[in-house]
Amino acid sequence: MDPIVVTLFLAIVLLTLYVTYVAAKRTKSTGDFYTAGGSLTGFQNGLAIAGDYLSAASFLGIAGMIALQGFDGFFYSIGFLIAYLVVLYLVAEPLRNLGKYTLADMINARFDARKVRGAAALSTITIVLFYMIAQLVGAGALIQLLFDIPYWVAVLIVGVMMTIYVLFGGMFATSWVQIIKAVLLMAGMIIMTFMVLWQFNFNIGAMFTEVKTATSHGANYLNPGIKYTDPLGTLSLMLALVLGTSGLPHILMRFFTVKDAQTARKSVITATWTIGIFYILTLFLGFGAAIYVGESKILAANPGGNMAAPLLAEAIGGNILFAIICAVAFATILAVVAGLVLSGASAFAHDLYGQIIKKGRISERQQMLAARYAALGVSVVSILLSLGAQYLNVAFLVSLAFCIAASANLPVILYTVYWKRFNTTGAVSALLAGLFSALILVSISPSVFSPVEGAALFVGEPIFPLDNPALVSVPVGFLAGYLGTILSKEYDTKRYAQVSVRAHTGYKESK
């Protein structure tokens, strides 16, 4: 156990706990707890969005996939980056203008129906759990590698930390932990990229030439087709990544932490630049890991390839860089899981308990108490589920969360804002059809069943051929919303007109 590693980890923990302590004194209302009182600037929120988005899947999972699978691993970087164009042009401003705390608030601005809110909350909770498992798997692998402790102990450590942030600091603490983490992560990425390129005298062509002979794939390493041999499977994955971001509840929740839609737009622009630079740099980390760490060592450290980036840091920078990168990765996971816990807790406490069970008749104190109990519950369930997913690649787990978000949430968001005829039946149909089609197809896919033992969760022949079912489940979500709408008689053009004006201008008619 390296004392430098321990010191840096403790420094990260103490810094984030201090942020939580300061934030706890500012968290006095439900609005403070869920949205930091809408007090963040566009630049601050942009960094926080980047901090929320650049998760263990991005830092650990993608670097590992590029190192092991070459160009195919870079598909994730491309998809995650392009996704923010969809958010910027179609989702950010209408969501900020219509919503209050959650995605369900935004949809309910038009429909005001408990069944819509309940379906939206169910979708949110499912996505949060998938995403949370990915982060905790990455955290467990990282701490297990560093401190040589059992995986379950490592997961518990992260689980306790994330629960403390949310229970006491709410969105204030979560936001500032994410901002700090985004700055640290970008600094770490730039340092590692600089050191990798330094090995080649900053000749990128020489690095590409070297990597052709560094892996068992040979020259094919730089070509698509190592992992994704099926064009339809590749298209399905990219569809999930590009469209899924616009439906992720913990990302959408961030747009409520600013004062208006214009600031929300500035947030997305800042986030897009930050995220864009980050994903370009993942290529250098992946290639560097393939050359200087090697496939066998990466796989030996973690079968999912999730430890490629920390091992590269050790190979090119020794124990000090290794300690820095591991501490940054730890901060990365802590920040993202805190945001996930908060979005899951808001779906339980605000949507299900406050608006459906209590029908909005709930005091400020009761809302805060319910939110904290819900945060505790989300944390416990996530920890228990992650204990059984130790050997799955975290980028793959996140892609499933993206698939559900694209299939269930995105159709409803777009129809709510842009389709006059859309109604309550259509909203519930789209949410439930998108959610369950994605879950059912994943459960019978090669991700879950494989004839090769150890290649998936269960041994057997998959019924559905695609690893990621977005190519089918996203059209199902849109089609269900369309059919549910046109087959029902409900139609309220006046409500749509009000919502449309508010979504695009922010103007809210006074009562």
Side-chain angles (χ1 to χ4, degrees), residues 136-466:
L136 292 175
V137 167
L142 179 69
I143 299 175
Q144 185 182 28
L145 173 69
L146 289 175
F147 301 118
D148 196 25
I149 58 176
Y151 171 79
W152 68 269
V153 176
V155 169
L156 281 180
I157 291 171
V158 179
V160 170
M161 290 293 299
M162 72 185 182
T163 308
I164 290 171
Y165 298 151
V166 177
L167 283 181
F168 298 105
M171 184 57 88
F172 275 119
T174 300
S175 295
W176 279 101
V177 168
Q178 286 162 346
I179 290 168
I180 292 166
K181 160 268 176 101
V183 172
L184 290 174
L185 183 58
M186 289 304 297
M189 290 289 287
I190 291 168
I191 290 169
M192 288 183 69
T193 300
F194 178 85
M195 294 192 71
V196 168
L197 290 176
W198 191 16
Q199 312 296 319
F200 297 97
N201 295 316
F202 300 95
N203 184 337
I204 295 176
M207 182 183 70
F208 274 69
T209 301
E210 176 75 16
V211 82
K212 287 181 182 179
T213 58
T215 74
S216 60
H217 304 297
N220 288 330
Y221 182 83
L222 297 178
N223 301 321
I226 292 175
K227 180 176 175 62
Y228 302 111
T229 54
D230 177 14
L232 285 180
T234 307
L235 178 62
S236 191
L237 171 67
M238 294 302 290
L239 192 67
L241 300 183
V242 170
L243 299 182
T245 300
S246 300
L248 290 177
H250 66 294
I251 299 296
L252 299 179
M253 196 174 178
R254 294 234 53 92
F255 295 121
F256 305 133
T257 64
V258 295
K259 61 181 179 179
D260 54 34
Q262 183 181 10
T263 313
R265 186 169 63 248
K266 290 178 181 176
S267 300
V268 179
I269 293 169
T270 300
T272 304
W273 273 103
T274 307
I275 291 164
I277 294 168
F278 174 90
Y279 282 127
I280 290 170
L281 299 184
T282 58
L283 188 66
F284 299 102
L285 264 62
F287 283 6
I291 295 167
Y292 295 110
V293 180
E295 291 173 273
S296 58
K297 191 173 180 181
I298 293 171
L299 291 170
N302 179 265
N306 299 318
M307 290 299 101
L311 290 172
L312 171 63
E314 185 178 34
I316 62 176
N319 282 349
I320 293 178
L321 186 59
F322 176 65
I324 291 171
I325 295 304
C326 287
V328 168
F330 185 61
T332 295
I333 293 165
L334 288 179
V336 175
V337 293
L340 287 165
V341 169
L342 197 55
S343 59
S346 66
F348 271 114
H350 176 67
D351 294 326
L352 295 180
Y353 180 72
Q355 299 300 317
I356 295 178
I357 297 174
K358 302 293 285 188
K359 300 179 182 178
R361 295 188 290 270
I362 182 172
S363 69
E364 192 80 18
R365 183 179 177 280
Q366 286 175 315
Q367 286 192 66
M368 288 288 287
L369 200 60
R372 288 188 164 119
Y373 279 132
L376 191 61
V378 170
S379 298
V380 170
V381 171
S382 301
I383 290 168
L384 292 175
L385 290 174
S386 66
L387 294 177
Q390 180 178 0
Y391 299 112
L392 295 178
N393 182 279
V394 290
F396 159 72
L397 289 170
V398 166
S399 73
L400 297 184
F402 273 70
C403 177
I404 296 170
S407 305
N409 291 352
L410 184 61
V412 178
I413 293 171
L414 296 182
Y415 281 152
T416 296
V417 177
Y418 299 106
W419 188 20
K420 183 188 295 186
R421 181 73 173 80
F422 195 46
N423 59 26
T424 303
T425 305
V428 174
S429 300
L431 283 163
L432 296 182
L435 171 63
F436 287 109
S437 64
L439 289 175
I440 291 169
L441 292 175
V442 164
S443 69
I444 57 174
S445 74
S447 304
V448 176
F449 288 97
S450 173
V452 180
E453 188 171 355
L457 291 177
F458 303 106
V459 177
E461 288 292 334
I463 299 172
F464 183 73
L466 303 178

